Amino acid sequence: GKLAALTGDDDAAVRQSAVTALGQIGPAAASARAAVANCLADSIPAIRLSATRSLKQIDGIRPGPND
């Protein structure tokens, strides 16, 4: 969808927002999982971290106290 496409935007803030939003959607965003996974290789560390968290949320894994 459109939100998944934004994970590849040139603007880091847009990528960050898209990845975070997809994580908040959770398992219903499973179709965007590959787009979020691509952000694990982003040049911005904060986006990589958000992608890790979002993938857990998409997979239905509750974040732990250190996540």
Side-chain angles (χ1 to χ4, degrees), residues 1 3-5 7 18-37 53-60:
L3 196 52
T7 63
V19 168
T20 300
L22 287 163
Q24 291 173 343
I25 292 169
S31 63
R33 192 182 193 291
V36 175
R53 289 179 179 159
S54 292
L55 286 170
K56 289 179 182 179
Q57 293 171 309
I58 290 169
D59 291 344

Side-chain angles (χ1 to χ4, degrees), residues 3-62:
L3 196 52
L6 292 175
T7 63
D9 196 89
D10 290 338
D11 186 325
V14 172
R15 293 194 308 276
Q16 175 82 31
S17 294
V19 168
T20 300
L22 287 163
Q24 291 173 343
I25 292 169
S31 63
R33 192 182 193 291
V36 175
N38 287 338
C39 291
L40 293 172
D42 198 280
S43 62
I44 309 292
I47 295 174
R48 296 194 303 264
L49 179 61
S50 291
T52 300
R53 289 179 179 159
S54 292
L55 286 170
K56 289 179 182 179
Q57 293 171 309
I58 290 169
D59 291 344
I61 300 169
R62 292 185 159 266

